[in-house]
Amino acid sequence: MKFDVAIVGGGPCGAIAGKYAAMHGAKTVIIEEHPAIGEPVQCAGIVSTRAVAACELDRGNFLIRSVQGAFVNAFHHRLKIDGHSEKAWIVDRRLFDRELVDHAMDAGCALFLRSKVLNSSRGRLELRISGEREFIDADVIIAAEGVSRKITRSYLGDSNLPKIIPGIQAEVSCEFEDSRFVELFLGESIAPGFFAWMIPTEEGFGRVGLCVADGSGRLPLRYLQKLIKEHPSITGSITDMVIGGIPIGMARRTVADGFLAVGDAAGQVKPTTGGGIYTGAVCAKIAGSVAAEAALEGDTQEKKLLEYEHRWRKSIGRELAIGFAFHRWFSRLDDSTLSQLLEFLSEPEIKEMIEEFGDIDRPSILLKKLARLPKMKAASFALALMKSF
Ligand SMILES: Cc1cc2nc3c(=O)[nH]c(=O)nc-3n(C[C@H](O)[C@H](O)[C@H](O)COP(=O)(O)OP(=O)(O)OC[C@H]3O[C@@H](n4cnc5c(N)ncnc54)[C@H](O)[C@@H]3O)c2cc1C
């Protein structure tokens, strides 16, 4: 079998890259190892309204509810950040991913399920399809394989790829003070180096999860068990649990001869929150278009495909770099500095600024405004933050 463009992975980035490659006239296939799209779920399922637009989706049956802000909890602080209008959607990732793949197929892209890519080199993919070995040839291969990165590593080398932090999440029965808001928790004993979340889903249920990013190698499971045990709003047992990884930092290279990496495989994830759907969608559109054009022109050399790398870095590279600097600073804060920070952010004029300029996809807008405040400059934690920009 021969394709112009073959995509490893049927997650959101593979689906969007597939749609764009097919729309640009390339004979395209998405290859997914699982028997169904969207499973297993490894996601909190919170996507900004901008991300949904970037994915070119309308309100669909994947939408569970919309949210407009967050309660940030740490120590004795409880800070309410109210965006005053719909800011993000809580989605069912299975249905969300399936709709994206349906769009790719509507554009003419083929889909192979139960098909694991075992190896790839120079335009040839070795697959295991329902237990049988098969080969596919493709002019351009797009790795949209998430954090597994086996194929990406074989083209780009390990040293070019970012570190992965571990995350965990459970579905629980729980109550929310206001289900238009997500709950976030900070602290060394809760989610060292990152944060924990509690996200309202159907009435009486929520997703509770966290990541650990302090570089200690400690596993997130015991932090999750502690949070579930100690949080008074969590009233019932766990119905589902997922473990996953989040890449923190962009890959140094995302292109080789006949090859592109996109989404989590390329580290195109916001280091501030671990969210990868918006950034991945932006890059996947570019990947699909550039791959199709290169394949149809018959020039799939790295030099030609570098157009993808230039375009995605121009579009979101600066935002991701600022987010990475913030993550490095934030992940080293001890509890006493975190407590000072929360106290500072709770001041009425600062809170107002957060509500006006806070943007889940573009945190740099708010970070820059905060870092320039005379009050903030006086604080030791702000100096460290400003140095990293
Ligand atoms: C705990 C957790 C919570 C998260 N919460 C959010 C959130 O709320 N909002 C948000 O925006 N992001 C969130 N993310 C990140 C988000 O899930 C990812 O950024 C996003 O799924 C990346 O999409 P992708 O297409 O690059 O990769 P994936 O969604 O990981 O898709 C990769 C696909 O490739 C397939 N695959 C892998 N290897 C092969 C192979 N060799 N052959 C064939 N198929 C293969 C996999 O089966 C998978 O279907 C979260 C991540 C974690 C771990």
Side-chain angles (χ1 to χ4, degrees):
M1 276 179 283
K2 165 82 173 66
F3 289 88
D4 298 322
V5 178
I7 297 166
V8 184
C13 298
I16 295 169
K19 173 179 166 182
Y20 268 68
M23 268 169 32
H24 282 77
K27 186 181 173 198
T28 307
V29 62
I30 294 172
I31 305 161
E32 169 56 48
E33 63 181 317
H34 289 103
I37 292 296
E39 291 175 16
V41 173
Q42 291 178 329
C43 184
I46 179 156
V47 281
S48 65
T49 46
R50 186 189 289 112
V52 178
C55 291
E56 298 170 353
L57 294 177
D58 295 321
R59 270 171 202 273
N61 62 352
F62 55 80
L63 171 62
I64 298 173
R65 65 168 72 242
S66 57
V67 287
Q68 65 183 54
F71 287 101
V72 184
N73 303 280
F75 323 103
H76 55 279
H77 303 282
R78 180 162 168 79
L79 171 62
K80 182 179 184 181
I81 309 289
D82 190 349
H84 299 289
S85 62
E86 181 180 81
K87 294 291 172 201
W89 291 2
I90 311 299
V91 302
D92 178 327
R93 264 296 295 271
R94 289 179 190 89
L95 300 178
F96 185 85
D97 287 20
R98 280 174 203 168
E99 190 146 336
L100 287 173
V101 169
D102 284 349
H103 283 213
M105 291 169 75
D106 289 346
C109 182
L111 172 67
F112 291 178
L113 291 172
R114 291 178 209 276
S115 305
K116 185 176 174 74
V117 178
L118 302 172
N119 287 300
S120 166
S121 75
R122 277 181 258 129
R124 175 149 269 223
L125 293 158
E126 182 187 354
L127 269 58
R128 191 174 55 228
I129 305 183
S130 305
E132 301 288 319
R133 294 218 162 201
E134 298 267 355
F135 290 90
I136 282 185
D137 292 309
D139 293 327
V140 181
I141 292 162
I142 299 180
E145 57 186 332
V147 288
S148 63
R149 307 191 299 193
K150 183 179 174 199
I151 305 305
T152 307
R153 216 175 280 125
S154 71
Y155 279 89
L156 301 179
D158 218 14
S159 60
N160 287 309
L161 303 181
K163 71 167 183 175
I164 307 271
I165 60 164
I168 190 164
Q169 180 177 273
E171 305 255 349
V172 292
S173 42
C174 55
E175 300 300 331
F176 288 83
E177 180 184 320
D178 185 336
S179 50
R180 294 169 304 161
F181 292 78
V182 301
E183 299 274 347
L184 303 177
F185 307 90
L186 308 178
E188 284 174 291
S189 62
I190 293 172
F194 212 73
F195 61 88
W197 59 84
M198 215 164 100
I199 292 175
T201 53
E202 282 89 10
E203 206 49 50
F205 291 91
R207 297 171 186 151
V208 52
L210 57 91
C211 289
V212 171
D214 62 346
S216 63
R218 281 177 290 193
L219 296 175
L221 177 61
R222 76 180 175 93
Y223 292 98
L224 184 69
Q225 286 169 330
K226 183 169 172 283
L227 184 61
I228 290 175
K229 194 169 152 210
E230 290 176 2
H231 199 285
S233 306
I234 300 176
T235 52
S237 54
I238 297 172
T239 54
D240 197 11
M241 191 179 283
V242 294
I243 295 171
I246 294 182
I248 299 288
M250 295 170 271
R252 283 204 204 105
R253 279 173 65 209
T254 57
V255 167
D257 281 345
F259 175 85
L260 310 175
V262 71
D264 277 18
Q268 292 157 341
V269 173
K270 290 173 285 181
T272 41
T273 62
I277 295 176
Y278 170 66
T279 42
V282 169
C283 299
K285 291 180 190 176
I286 305 171
S289 317
V290 170
E293 198 184 288
L296 296 175
E297 281 177 15
D299 177 5
T300 59
Q301 298 283 301
E302 179 174 344
K303 204 170 157 200
K304 169 77 182 168
L305 296 176
L306 270 172
E307 184 193 336
Y308 160 65
E309 178 127 6
H310 294 148
R311 281 174 57 190
W312 80 254
R313 286 193 196 276
K314 191 168 174 213
S315 175
I316 58 156
R318 195 164 165 275
E319 192 66 54
L320 292 184
I322 291 172
F324 184 68
F326 175 82
H327 166 80
R328 268 203 330 205
W329 169 77
F330 180 84
S331 63
R332 291 177 198 148
L333 295 185
D334 58 21
D335 276 356
S336 103
T337 321
L338 263 179
S339 178
Q340 276 181 59
L341 179 64
L342 254 283
E343 206 161 295
F344 171 75
L345 297 178
S346 305
E347 287 180 23
E349 75 270 35
I350 307 294
K351 187 171 161 310
E352 225 169 80
M353 188 177 258
I354 300 172
E355 291 180 339
E356 187 177 350
F357 297 106
D359 184 328
I360 190 175
D361 298 316
R362 296 178 188 157
S364 70
I365 300 170
L366 175 65
L367 288 173
K368 279 192 219 145
K369 290 218 175 276
L370 286 174
R372 283 182 193 137
L373 280 174
K375 260 186 185 176
M376 188 81 169
K377 281 183 183 154
S380 57
F381 51 78
L383 288 175
L385 173 61
M386 285 163 67
K387 269 188 212 148
S388 19
F389 286 157

